[in-house]
Amino acid sequence: MGEPSAVLVEETARGAGVGVLAEDKAARGLPAGLVRTARPRQWVKNGLVLAAPFAAGRLLSLRDSVQLGVVLVLFTACASAVYLINDARDADADRAHPVKRQRPVACGQVPVGVAYAAGGLLAVAAPAVAAVTCNADTAGLLAGYVVMQLAYCVWLKHMLVVDLVIVTTGFLMRAMAGGVALGIGLSRWFLITSGFCALFIVAAKRYSELVLMSGKDGDVGATRALLGEYTTGYLRFVWQLAAGVGVLAYCLWAMETGGTASGLLPWRQLSMVPFILSVLRYAVFADAGSAGAPEDVLLRDRALVVIGLAWGALYVLAAVNR
């Protein structure tokens, strides 16, 4: 009788050890889970904080560069806060989804309470730090972004057309942040071009998602609220309209501000060529319904990368020779 008891004790201890190891593994996976929930792949969007200083042709000092770096980190913190709170709120629904159930909060790697706490901390800390390290306008912009995005997660994403406007405004606020932090005036052409180019990308993304889901069996709106309420014809109209207005605004901007007084060539006006080419190139993916992941299109298509570098070079020359 003693021997079976020893075996039983050993098996019990082994089971307890496995449980401890599993818990230890889960604990060690918490930081990684929090980072995954913050969507590192989406952080590339926050590079738009450099847009306003670049558009203004401002040559940055060391202090300006540090300031922009701080704003970039703070905007990333705000965006991460929204992702954390959104995933905590949608945990139950995500568990029933074939793909989203792998998200750290939905699968239990990150407890719901921890996600809420981390998101809330970032949402409050980022604007507070901005008020100290930048200025009140930057803090207000970041706070407004967080409030708007949380309202989108809870309510506004269920309102037709408004959901497109909110996501577009998020991109526009990113583009404004660098200028606000450095006290750079934001021209009307910059705001119009940035806003409609953002709407072009957002509408093309929705269009691609709708095309993809329409080709599969099941509920079209299962992966995104309101997706099934749109039609491909309407979303195509929106991204085509936005692309046209964005190109027109950029051309008027370049023609108004460009010149040859201090340079060999009208560099800013020449930059219209790669800008238009980039829109036409991106439209190829939008038309094919393969622009559902804008960051992948922008970073992995070699032609777009080359065109973007050419545009950047011309714009730098315009700034240097103005």
Side-chain angles (χ1 to χ4, degrees), residues 168-183:
T168 298
T169 303
F171 279 99
L172 184 57
M173 292 175 80
R174 286 177 172 91
M176 295 169 57
V180 172
L182 297 184

Side-chain angles (χ1 to χ4, degrees), residues 86-103 106 157 222-223:
N86 178 72
D87 281 12
R89 183 176 180 275
D90 294 344
D92 291 336
D94 288 347
R95 290 188 187 104
H97 191 276
V99 177
K100 293 182 180 180
R101 66 184 180 187
Q102 301 299 326
R103 287 179 174 177
K157 68 180 179 182
T223 60

Side-chain angles (χ1 to χ4, degrees), residues 9-171:
V9 170
E10 182 180 351
E11 291 296 329
T12 303
R14 186 180 303 166
V18 171
V20 170
L21 288 174
E23 292 178 3
D24 182 61
K25 183 177 180 181
R28 285 187 286 110
L30 180 60
L34 287 171
V35 172
R36 281 182 56 206
T37 306
R39 312 280 207 284
R41 289 186 61 194
Q42 304 295 328
W43 293 352
V44 66
K45 299 175 184 177
N46 300 319
L48 286 172
V49 301
L50 307 176
F54 186 71
R58 177 163 171 170
L59 299 178
L60 301 178
S61 64
L62 177 60
R63 181 181 179 280
D64 289 342
S65 300
V66 172
Q67 191 87 318
L68 277 180
V70 170
V71 176
L72 178 61
V73 171
L74 293 178
F75 222 111
T76 300
C78 288
S80 299
V82 174
Y83 287 130
L84 285 160
I85 295 173
N86 178 72
D87 281 12
R89 183 176 180 275
D90 294 344
D92 291 336
D94 288 347
R95 290 188 187 104
H97 191 276
V99 177
K100 293 182 180 180
R101 66 184 180 187
Q102 301 299 326
R103 287 179 174 177
V105 180
C107 72
Q109 184 181 2
V110 176
V112 171
V114 173
Y116 270 125
L121 178 62
L122 289 175
V124 173
V129 172
V132 175
T133 59
C134 299
N135 52 49
D137 290 339
T138 304
L141 182 68
L142 292 176
Y145 173 84
V146 171
V147 171
M148 183 185 70
Q149 293 300 321
L150 291 179
Y152 171 81
C153 294
V154 175
W155 174 43
L156 297 179
K157 68 180 179 182
H158 301 293
M159 299 179 66
L160 204 65
V161 180
V162 173
D163 67 315
L164 296 177
V165 174
I166 294 299
V167 178
T168 298
T169 303
F171 279 99

Side-chain angles (χ1 to χ4, degrees), residues 266-289:
W267 302 112
R268 195 181 298 269
Q269 294 167 1
L270 288 174
S271 72
M272 292 188 296
V273 176
F275 183 86
I276 295 171
L277 284 176
S278 66
V279 173
L280 293 175
R281 178 68 181 178
Y282 195 90
V284 171
F285 296 94
D287 185 65

Side-chain angles (χ1 to χ4, degrees), residues 40 61 74 91 111-112 135 147 152 158 166 176 179 186 200 214 217 222 226 228 243 247 254 259 299 304 315 320:
S61 64
L74 293 178
V112 171
N135 52 49
V147 171
Y152 171 81
H158 301 293
I166 294 299
M176 295 169 57
L186 303 173
F200 166 46
S214 297
D217 296 330
L226 285 186
V247 167
L299 297 177
L304 262 178
Y315 207 95
V320 171

